[in-house]
Amino acid sequence: MATPTRLTCLCKLVYEPADLLSSSTLPLECTICHCDTCRYTTGGLGVSCFSLKGRPSDKSLSNTTAYKTSEKYTRFFCKHCGCNVFFRSEEDGQWLAFSGIIEPDHKRAEEANEGETGGNDENVARVTSHIYVGDAHDGGMAPFLTRLGGRKAPCYVADAQDGVEPLGETELQELRGVGLDVASHERGSMMDVACHCGGVQLQVVPPAYNESSEGWHVPPDRSKYYARVCCCRSCRLALGFSLQPWAYIPPAHILTKLGEPVVFGPKAKETAQLERLKHYQSSESVLRSFCTTCGATIFFQSFERPDIINVSAGVVRSTAGNALAREWLHWDRRAVSYGGEAVDTELVEAWLAD
Ligand SMILES: [Zn+2]
Ligand SMILES: [Zn+2]
Ligand SMILES: [Zn+2]
Ligand SMILES: [Zn+2]
């Protein structure tokens, strides 16, 4: 069995011992919420949380920004790196941690597994179901994550309550194809991007790839942008969930609401062009950007790869109401980035399966 070692965001200014978790043995059971609010406040396509024994420390909380999405719930993200860290239910005062901030002790897990075969002891989460799958017309990632480690993870349109039936296999199969056959005139002239609070709003012009375009980021369907899930530790600790969905877009195609090209590269840190966008330089050549009001992850850019910007797919606003926005995005499900760093291999294996 693996044990959690600590709870931390990417910049480590939110930092708690693992014994703040209600349970100390991994994997921890959870549901993935696919609701609009979870997607638009994080930039991910779904998130999960684990319950805590009590309130995080004042030191950690002093490094967070609270964002109240309703009378019932308050979300907390790191004000320095943007990671979604905690969640509080105002009704019962219960504190939860976003699952991506839990650091598993992989080394100990490997030692414990010596001589054993199979098993998924490295997973941090044991996902039991998907909820609010009905918020998006395509159900987002949920219809692709229904068989996890040999068990079924049912998909519920809204909350999983007594007497509510999950979606059947026929419905799930239909959802897996939604968005693929949307005609280009039905998808709108621009791909809209907006975080939950609306503080960061962007427009992306259609791809200009042609027959001679080449590169890993050029999808087979040249009318779309390439999209892929990243499982690296840095993306996980900047998002707060183990799967970071990215769309790969040339910088000149990303415009502000006023139609100005967004400033990228090292100069991005100095411009006030997007007032609500805050940057965190996670390494010498990497800049990660998030909304300073609601915490949504917006961009990842590497100065060493200036021709492509990663845009968080969870904040893409499909005209058709599809979370995967497949009228705009070609999802590569043959591979994930940094699969070796994945902490939830069950989810990765399901996403990559046919
Ligand atoms: Zn941080
Ligand atoms: Zn939600
Ligand atoms: Zn925002
Ligand atoms: Zn990554």
Side-chain angles (χ1 to χ4, degrees):
M1 292 269 189
T3 45
T5 55
R6 59 192 175 274
L7 280 57
T8 180
C9 63
L10 185 57
C11 78
K12 298 195 189 79
L13 285 166
V14 175
Y15 196 98
E16 294 292 322
D19 62 12
L20 184 64
L21 286 164
S22 295
S23 169
S24 59
T25 311
L26 299 181
L28 297 166
E29 285 204 352
C30 64
T31 59
I32 298 182
C33 184
H34 299 261
C35 81
D36 287 344
T37 306
C38 283
R39 283 181 282 115
Y40 302 155
T41 54
T42 64
L45 283 166
V47 290
S48 54
C49 286
F50 300 136
S51 63
L52 298 177
K53 282 178 191 158
R55 187 178 184 274
S57 67
D58 286 343
K59 190 163 178 286
S60 283
L61 288 175
S62 70
N63 285 303
T64 64
T65 297
Y67 181 65
K68 214 168 160 59
T69 51
S70 73
E71 285 307 306
K72 286 189 199 165
Y73 305 115
T74 308
R75 290 157 184 269
F76 296 81
F77 59 92
C78 173
K79 63 166 81 159
H80 310 285
C81 70
C83 179
N84 295 278
V85 286
F86 305 121
F87 186 92
R88 187 176 65 204
S89 163
E90 303 301 349
E91 280 178 332
D92 54 10
Q94 172 74 49
W95 283 88
L96 302 114
F98 281 89
S99 63
I101 72 169
I102 284 93
E103 289 271 67
D105 189 348
H106 275 154
K107 202 158 165 285
R108 276 178 57 184
E110 277 161 28
E111 283 163 15
N113 278 342
E114 256 179 329
E116 288 177 32
T117 51
N120 261 313
D121 285 349
E122 286 195 353
N123 282 272
V124 166
R126 186 180 189 277
V127 177
T128 55
S129 63
H130 300 280
I131 59 170
Y132 291 97
V133 172
D135 272 22
H137 285 154
D138 59 356
M141 288 183 108
F144 299 96
L145 306 176
T146 55
R147 289 192 181 272
L148 304 173
R151 64 180 193 282
K152 277 189 183 174
C155 293
Y156 294 91
V157 168
D159 209 351
Q161 285 165 336
D162 285 346
V164 176
E165 287 292 317
L167 294 171
E169 189 46 47
T170 315
E171 291 159 299
L172 291 169
Q173 196 53 40
E174 262 171 42
L175 289 178
R176 291 180 194 120
V178 171
L180 288 177
D181 54 359
V182 174
S184 52
H185 67 271
E186 288 175 272
R187 71 182 187 181
S189 56
M190 301 264 211
M191 185 177 89
D192 291 319
V193 172
C195 62
H196 188 266
C197 75
V200 179
Q201 295 194 40
L202 306 162
Q203 291 187 313
V204 178
V205 301
Y209 299 126
N210 57 40
E211 285 310 306
S212 58
S213 301
E214 46 185 52
W216 60 268
H217 58 273
V218 180
D221 179 346
R222 310 280 157 117
S223 70
K224 298 184 181 181
Y225 286 112
Y226 180 84
R228 189 167 64 189
V229 167
C230 186
C231 299
C232 84
R233 180 174 175 272
S234 301
C235 283
R236 172 170 62 81
L237 295 181
L239 173 67
F241 188 62
S242 57
L243 308 177
Q244 165 66 59
W246 292 123
Y248 296 82
I249 298 172
H253 287 206
I254 305 170
L255 312 177
T256 65
K257 278 301 238 187
L258 299 173
E260 295 167 354
V262 172
V263 175
F264 289 104
K267 274 193 226 152
K269 285 190 290 182
E270 293 143 33
T271 168
Q273 184 189 38
L274 290 161
E275 204 189 329
R276 295 271 140 208
L277 198 67
K278 186 165 174 178
H279 310 286
Y280 174 65
Q281 188 146 5
S282 58
S283 74
E284 212 173 302
S285 59
V286 170
L287 199 63
R288 294 171 181 272
S289 314
F290 60 97
C291 172
T292 186
T293 302
C294 71
T297 296
I298 310 290
F299 300 129
F300 163 101
Q301 54 178 314
S302 166
F303 303 147
E304 289 166 4
R305 196 199 64 190
D307 55 331
I308 290 292
I309 302 299
N310 298 22
V311 177
S312 232
V315 286
V316 169
R317 304 293 189 104
S318 151
T319 314
N322 296 326
L324 291 177
R326 286 197 287 172
E327 59 276 27
W328 285 102
L329 306 178
H330 168 87
W331 286 93
D332 188 350
R333 288 181 52 238
R334 292 165 309 166
V336 292
S337 305
Y338 299 96
E341 293 183 28
V343 294
D344 289 324
T345 51
E346 284 184 349
L347 295 177
V348 176
E349 281 163 16
W351 175 246
L352 296 178
D354 276 336

